[in-house]
Amino acid sequence: MDSKLTAIVSRFAYEGTVSEIKPLGEGLINDTYKVKTAEQDKPDYVLQRVNHLVFPDVDMVMRNIDAVTSHIRKKLEAEGVKDIDRRVLRFMPAKEGGKLYTIVDGTYWRMMVFIAGAITKQAVNSESSRAAGRAFGNFQAMLADIPVQLGETIKDFHNMEFRLSQLREVVKSDPAGRVNEERVQAMLAEIEKRADEMCKAERLGREGILPKRVCHCDTKVNNMMFDEQDNVLCVIDLDTVMPNFIFSDYGDFLRTGANEVAEDCPDMDKVQFRMDIFKAFTEGYLESARSFLLPIEIENLPYATALFPYMQCVRFLWDYLSGDKYWKCQYPDHNFVRANNQLHLLLSIEKHWAEMQEFIASCMK
Ligand code: GN1
Ligand code: MG
């Protein structure tokens, strides 16, 4: 076993004897390991190095997570839920300092209970997306009355105006010498064409008619745990939980869940927006979220659907032009391919605008 990892694990208060530590999952931001324990009756754990370049204030991240998981845990307890450790993440305190993380040579680590028998998915069918919609709606609903003000763990994370200004800056400085590629210029034109309409959420926010609520802000399909019967157990990857427009959670799920292919599939003809997934997810989401959503939020769900592929296109292109500093890349063009994929998804979504509006209206009857 890696002695450095073993030493890190030993800084946490956990139960059992560690028998194995090996890499887990395929997150693009944090590094994750599974920590197995030898005893049958002790849980296994997940050890994670938090990327503090992406999350500059790890202490705030962990305070948010503590507030959110404790709040949900209390609600589940009040409901009499039995398998609580499968329904909400449980983080282990560090032996020293009493925090839910520890710092080793300037790197940040945390450890949580591994949810046994649970699966994550890279893709969903309409049944599981209905369940996912319900789960994310429910997640927002449960957190509607959280008594603390959460911090913004990545400033302006889903702020479209900010993401566009970031892109425009890198276009000006062109550090990787990629701006003059013809395909980049064509993509920039598509982006600028839509820039104003896509910043609608920030405008509505400034006008005071669109509220911020506690959101997950990374509702990718693979950030949800399912049991063998396809029931949603819980929502994971809570680093980005923060106040935001509800569009974030709704839109980002559809961005990944309703794309016919993965977000980095290089075959653009295959990128299609799946209306069956859209419908199932929307139905599930509105079922659990309609009790607190305002008309302005509901009416802008088609906008939210378009916004996230658009924003992700802007972010991937920004990273491509920056010289691939943010997302891990498997090949030189990876970020451009991702950006192009997201642009094609947006084009497909735009064709379904009227149908999306009609469907949402029919759910609200
Ligand atoms: C990142 O951490 P992960 O892989 O779940 C990113 C999301 C992007 C996503 C694109 C903190 O999510 O915002 O939508 O990649 N998270 C952060 O795959 O930037
Ligand atoms: Mg993830």
Side-chain angles (χ1 to χ4, degrees):
M1 258 187 304
D2 185 313
S3 61
K4 187 178 159 241
L5 293 175
T6 316
I8 295 169
V9 168
S10 71
R11 287 168 169 243
F12 289 94
Y14 65 96
E15 290 173 56
T17 321
V18 174
S19 59
E20 188 185 42
I21 304 179
K22 58 172 193 202
L24 179 72
E26 39 203 283
L28 298 179
I29 304 281
N30 298 323
D31 295 330
T32 311
Y33 303 87
K34 178 165 179 189
V35 179
K36 282 185 96 167
T37 56
E39 299 84 353
Q40 284 299 325
D41 60 337
K42 302 290 184 231
D44 293 332
Y45 299 90
V46 174
L47 176 72
Q48 209 168 36
R49 186 181 66 81
V50 186
N51 184 333
H52 67 279
L53 300 176
V54 171
F55 297 99
D57 190 344
V58 177
D59 194 68
M60 177 197 276
V61 168
M62 294 314 294
R63 274 186 281 125
N64 275 2
I65 291 182
D66 195 14
V68 164
T69 53
S70 312
H71 193 72
I72 294 179
R73 187 169 286 270
K74 253 189 246 150
K75 293 221 162 156
L76 296 175
E77 272 164 12
E79 282 171 28
V81 171
K82 294 268 157 10
D83 53 347
I84 289 191
D85 272 352
R86 306 186 80 209
R87 300 289 307 282
V88 62
L89 295 178
R90 181 152 71 91
F91 287 83
M92 313 318 291
K95 286 178 192 155
E96 268 172 44
K99 303 257 188 194
L100 297 183
Y101 65 93
T102 185
I103 307 174
V104 183
D105 300 332
T107 59
Y108 291 73
W109 295 82
R110 64 184 169 205
M111 196 159 109
M112 67 202 105
V113 171
F114 177 83
I115 303 181
I119 28 185
T120 55
K121 298 172 188 269
Q122 296 300 335
V124 281
N125 57 27
S126 51
E127 246 350 276
S128 45
S129 23
R130 183 170 292 110
R134 254 187 241 122
F136 280 124
N138 206 16
F139 182 79
Q140 291 177 338
M142 280 199 283
L143 294 172
D145 61 347
I146 190 165
V148 290
Q149 174 67 32
L150 298 189
E152 203 179 347
T153 55
I154 300 180
K155 197 173 162 343
D156 292 323
F157 187 44
H158 282 169
N159 179 334
M160 197 58 245
E161 289 173 348
F162 169 71
R163 293 301 179 187
L164 279 166
S165 67
Q166 244 185 346
L167 176 66
R168 288 169 184 149
E169 258 168 50
V170 84
V171 166
K172 259 193 225 137
S173 60
D174 194 14
R178 291 172 167 174
V179 170
N180 288 326
E181 288 173 23
E182 211 169 298
R183 56 184 191 167
V184 168
Q185 286 298 320
M187 191 178 283
L188 285 169
E190 291 297 329
I191 289 172
E192 288 301 342
K193 222 174 21 190
R194 295 167 176 83
D196 261 4
E197 54 171 307
M198 288 298 170
C199 293
K200 184 180 185 181
E202 280 71 42
R203 282 196 297 277
L204 294 175
R206 271 194 296 275
E207 286 165 23
I209 48 181
L210 185 67
K212 287 199 170 173
R213 308 178 185 277
V214 176
C215 291
H216 181 279
C217 296
D218 190 14
T219 49
K220 294 203 295 194
V221 171
N222 62 7
N223 280 336
M224 198 174 293
M225 297 280 216
F226 293 82
D227 68 11
E228 285 91 352
Q229 286 75 45
D230 251 13
N231 300 309
V232 175
L233 287 168
C234 68
V235 167
I236 59 170
D237 213 347
L238 303 175
D239 301 325
T240 51
V241 169
M242 64 179 115
N244 224 324
F245 304 124
I246 56 101
F247 302 157
S248 291
D249 291 0
Y250 178 82
D252 218 18
F253 180 88
L254 288 171
R255 181 182 76 75
T256 51
N259 190 347
E260 187 78 56
V261 290
E263 69 180 7
D264 65 348
C265 170
D267 186 348
M268 299 306 151
D269 292 339
K270 294 212 176 99
V271 180
Q272 293 288 342
F273 186 65
R274 286 184 55 178
M275 280 303 283
D276 60 329
I277 300 285
F278 168 85
K279 288 180 178 169
F281 179 75
T282 300
E283 232 162 39
Y285 178 72
L286 286 175
E287 217 175 273
S288 52
R290 65 187 294 170
S291 60
F292 67 86
L293 289 180
L294 300 173
I296 185 106
E297 294 174 308
I298 295 170
E299 146 200 320
N300 278 298
L301 292 179
Y303 159 73
T305 311
L307 176 61
F308 279 82
Y310 177 81
M311 188 185 302
Q312 201 60 60
C313 170
V314 169
R315 294 179 65 198
F316 282 144
L317 182 61
W318 160 75
D319 198 33
Y320 178 68
L321 299 181
S322 310
D324 308 318
K325 302 219 159 23
Y326 194 84
W327 279 280
K328 293 174 194 163
C329 286
Q330 265 104 53
Y331 54 94
D333 263 3
H334 205 163
N335 269 322
F336 185 83
V337 166
R338 287 167 172 148
N340 203 17
N341 176 305
Q342 296 297 295
L343 178 60
H344 280 78
L345 182 61
L346 173 67
L347 298 177
S348 174
I349 287 170
E350 287 175 342
K351 293 194 194 121
H352 293 289
W353 204 267
E355 200 185 342
M356 290 193 290
Q357 279 173 324
E358 273 160 36
F359 184 77
I360 290 164
S362 75
C363 291
M364 293 310 291
K365 279 202 187 115

